[in-house]
Amino acid sequence: MKTNTLLKQIRQEHASAFTHSGKFHADDVFSAALLLYLNPEITITRGNKVPEDFEGIVFDIGRGQYDHHQKDSRIRENGVAYAALGLLWEALGAEILGEELAQKFDEAFVQPLDNNDNTGEKNELAALIGNFNPTWDASGSNDEAFFQAVSVAGMILENKFERYLGNERADRRVEEILEAHERALQSGEKKENEAKILILPEFVPCQKRLSETEIAFVIFPSNRGGYCIQPQKKEYSLNYKCSFPSEWLGLENEELQKETGLVSAGFCHKGGFLLTTGTLEDAVKACEISLAEYREEPVLVNFGGGAVADKLLGKLPGLQTARIIHMDYAELPELELQGIYGEVVMEKQEWKAFVKTQVKQILKYKPEAVYVADHMFAGYPVVHALRKKHIPVLTMVEKDGQKLLVRIPSGS
């Protein structure tokens, strides 16, 4: 069934669809929500067997095009098997988001749910949807619970689609603003010292895009009046390209005005991620003062490594002046031994707290990157936690007889 044929079938008058009854999962719930998003009037029926005379759309049952329980069910090129949601999204996604965004949505949203359905891999959204199932000893049909879950899934889908389309609009708008900023610099309309200051006509989500540029501060109109200033983070880093002077942090009104010398200064967050002024002129001046006074002190953490790692860390591009902080692995916790086999004598929450403490000690230095030495037991839990926070994690490899530092890719 071709994409346009399926969409036509979904949107036709008196359209119908059929899926399995009994316990439901995120796969069939979001599949139903997707059909209802495209046609709120479509009738979705559940049952143990597809009626022989049924002419509507069948999904997650029946061994057809939009089922995945047969032995020869399809698998994506990256190895993630399709579930019903993925099969329907493959046919319909481009109609909703366009080809490029539909692929991104598949990777970020659909594939984790497909994978959960096919393998049981933990997924918080799938667990939330699964919790709509009635308890084991509840009586009667669970169809009402199914459609309650579908209603929630529909709201999630609608919000997600709006977010993806909104981000695409924001990306286009940011590119327009950046091009205008560059033209103003080249023409002399903007001074050279304003190259790292981007003024937005209106607030536009842009931090991810600007992390790839030299822009250090963004100024935009506040919905409370006046202007907001946000420092921009470096790519793959917790740290800003430039920070407000530490003396400004946590001050407001008269105290901030006295410290900055800016008559319309309003508020500087103690976390350093926001400063407000009453005028655009003062907003620009606040950025210029910060840029002039800022002295970068990059830090790298060597977690469990020695002198060889230090030597390599000292050669990292752009970080040759970084201060290297050494942290030892935590002592091996108490083990329960059975011959040569051991297990940690800790409850799950104790273990999580044990790892969290180590990560917290690392993050207090706000490192540009963390090198983790080759020690699977001590290193893996910390690496996993750091990657979830998008902290660059480095490890040592050897290629052609040369030792190298390699960043573990995002998503690993």
Side-chain angles (χ1 to χ4, degrees):
M1 188 179 291
K2 295 181 180 179
T3 301
N4 58 354
T5 306
L6 174 60
L7 187 61
K8 183 177 179 181
Q9 187 177 5
I10 293 169
R11 286 178 169 164
Q12 69 184 3
E13 190 176 4
H14 307 304
S16 61
F18 189 94
T19 190
H20 66 82
S21 57
K23 185 175 181 179
F24 50 84
H25 305 89
D27 175 34
D28 44 307
V29 168
F30 273 100
S31 293
L34 178 61
L35 298 182
L36 285 163
Y37 175 83
L38 292 167
N39 180 5
E41 302 301 320
I42 192 171
T43 299
I44 299 176
T45 308
R46 306 177 78 223
N48 293 324
K49 185 179 180 181
V50 183
E52 291 184 7
D53 59 348
F54 188 77
E55 296 182 354
I57 300 153
V58 178
F59 63 94
D60 213 31
I61 191 174
R63 303 299 194 268
Q65 187 173 357
Y66 305 111
D67 191 12
H68 63 109
H69 296 99
Q70 52 270 49
K71 287 184 178 180
D72 60 347
S73 60
R74 293 175 54 218
I75 299 174
R76 294 174 176 85
E77 290 184 3
N78 65 0
V80 178
Y82 284 95
L85 177 60
L87 293 167
L88 285 168
W89 183 253
E90 181 186 40
L92 300 167
E95 300 287 344
I96 299 170
L97 297 180
E99 289 287 351
E100 186 175 346
L101 282 185
Q103 180 58 37
K104 290 180 179 179
F105 189 79
D106 181 70
E107 293 170 0
F109 187 85
V110 178
Q111 290 189 27
L113 294 179
D114 278 9
N115 200 40
N116 166 267
D117 197 81
N118 283 308
T119 69
E121 182 172 320
K122 185 177 178 181
N123 180 283
E124 290 186 7
L125 180 56
L128 182 150
I129 294 298
N131 284 336
F132 278 85
N133 279 285
T135 58
W136 66 274
D137 54 353
S139 58
S141 169
N142 64 358
D143 285 358
E144 183 178 351
F146 173 80
F147 285 106
Q148 285 179 338
V150 169
S151 176
V152 171
M155 289 188 285
I156 293 171
L157 278 185
E158 188 169 349
N159 287 334
K160 282 284 185 182
F161 295 157
E162 284 301 314
R163 182 72 62 181
Y164 269 68
L165 292 169
N167 288 343
E168 186 180 45
R169 293 193 299 273
D171 290 344
R172 290 197 298 267
R173 182 69 177 121
V174 170
E175 292 304 327
E176 292 172 357
I177 295 169
L178 282 172
E179 288 171 7
H181 176 74
E182 189 60 34
R183 287 196 300 270
L185 288 169
Q186 291 176 357
S187 68
E189 182 183 342
K190 285 189 176 183
K191 297 176 291 184
E192 188 177 340
N193 61 352
E194 293 181 90
K196 295 183 178 182
I197 305 168
L198 184 66
I199 300 172
L200 305 177
E202 69 281 337
F203 172 75
V204 184
C206 58
Q207 291 207 3
K208 184 176 180 181
R209 172 66 180 93
L210 296 185
S211 69
E212 307 165 4
T213 72
E214 292 299 311
I215 301 296
F217 288 103
V218 162
I219 300 171
F220 57 90
S222 170
N223 55 16
R224 298 180 181 179
Y227 292 85
C228 293
I229 310 166
Q230 287 184 340
Q232 300 300 296
K233 288 185 177 180
K234 304 173 187 176
E235 192 172 16
Y236 307 119
S237 178
L238 285 174
N239 302 319
Y240 296 119
K241 299 168 190 172
C242 178
S243 300
F244 300 123
S246 59
E247 296 81 9
W248 298 4
L249 305 184
L251 301 183
E252 58 183 321
N253 300 327
E254 291 84 1
E255 288 184 330
L256 184 60
Q257 291 160 13
K258 182 179 179 181
E259 191 66 46
T260 62
L262 304 173
V263 295
S264 73
F267 168 74
C268 185
H269 196 281
K270 65 181 181 180
F273 58 80
L274 179 71
L275 188 146
T276 66
T277 64
T279 67
L280 179 58
E281 182 183 11
D282 277 354
V284 173
K285 285 181 180 177
C287 297
E288 291 175 341
I289 293 169
S290 299
L291 287 163
E293 294 188 8
Y294 182 65
R295 297 294 179 268
E296 187 175 24
E297 296 179 347
V299 170
L300 297 167
V301 170
N302 183 342
F303 187 50
V308 174
D310 279 353
K311 188 174 181 180
L312 293 175
L313 288 169
K315 297 179 180 179
L316 283 173
L319 291 170
Q320 289 89 344
T321 62
R323 182 163 58 105
I324 299 175
I325 303 293
H326 287 89
M327 290 186 61
D328 294 328
Y329 286 134
E331 290 186 13
L332 188 69
E334 183 183 353
L335 300 177
E336 181 179 311
L337 297 175
Q338 298 179 32
I340 56 96
Y341 173 74
E343 288 194 2
V344 174
V345 183
M346 280 186 182
E347 296 295 332
K348 182 177 180 180
Q349 291 305 316
E350 290 180 290
W351 172 254
K352 290 175 72 172
F354 175 75
V355 175
K356 186 176 181 180
T357 297
Q358 296 175 75
V359 174
K360 188 175 181 181
Q361 290 173 342
I362 292 171
L363 294 183
K364 74 178 182 180
Y365 295 107
K366 295 186 176 180
E368 299 295 333
V370 179
Y371 169 78
V372 180
D374 186 14
H375 188 313
M376 180 67 76
F377 178 85
Y380 174 77
V382 173
V383 170
H384 181 66
L386 291 172
R387 294 304 304 121
K388 288 176 71 174
K389 294 180 179 293
H390 306 290
I391 307 299
V393 178
L394 309 176
T395 190
M396 193 183 300
V397 300
E398 190 165 321
K399 180 177 174 61
D400 301 328
Q402 181 183 10
K403 286 183 168 54
L404 303 170
L405 292 183
V406 177
R407 183 172 69 85
I408 298 174
S410 300
S412 300

